Amino acid sequence: MDWSVVVMGCSLVLLSFGCRWWERAKIRKGARPRWGMRFYSIWMPLLMGLGMIVSRVPHMVGAPFAITMAADTLNLVLAVTTVLVLAVQAMRRDSSGSSAE
């Protein structure tokens, strides 16, 4: 079960890199960048994948307690950062939507 979580995390990281590559290729062809969806298509899978990888790998390889705690702390920081970015984007979306009316 632990390895399946790590594989899913790696696939999410690769998905985010693929989305970034796809977006850059479309911009080179003349398309306009979609700044509103950038977080959901590039950063969200990257942060989720890194969180999944960091949460499982130290436990699986039998790392010392200090390294395991540092990895768990990093995972908490990733989760809090993701929630804060989502909250800021929701506030910006609400403020820009109400000013247009």
Side-chain angles (χ1 to χ4, degrees):
M1 180 67 176
D2 286 339
W3 283 110
S4 64
V5 172
V6 172
V7 168
M8 179 65 79
C10 290
S11 64
L12 283 170
V13 169
L14 291 174
L15 173 73
S16 71
F17 289 147
C19 287
R20 174 74 174 141
W21 174 78
W22 182 264
E23 181 183 6
R24 291 186 76 167
K26 285 175 65 175
I27 290 172
R28 268 189 241 124
K29 290 182 181 179
R32 292 178 31 205
R34 294 175 25 189
W35 296 109
M37 291 302 292
R38 173 170 266 176
F39 178 76
Y40 299 105
S41 65
I42 296 173
W43 291 107
M44 187 71 145
L46 180 67
L47 291 174
M48 287 175 53
L50 286 176
M52 292 170 83
I53 293 168
V54 168
S55 69
R56 294 293 180 193
V57 169
H59 300 285
M60 290 183 346
V61 297
F65 180 74
I67 293 175
T68 305
M69 287 303 296
D72 288 342
T73 304
L74 178 63
N75 196 17
L76 176 67
V77 168
L78 282 171
V80 169
T81 302
T82 303
V83 169
L84 286 176
V85 168
L86 285 173
V88 167
Q89 282 194 344
M91 289 173 47
R92 282 185 183 171
R93 193 175 323 127
D94 288 342
S95 66
S96 67
S98 62
S99 64
E101 293 178 43

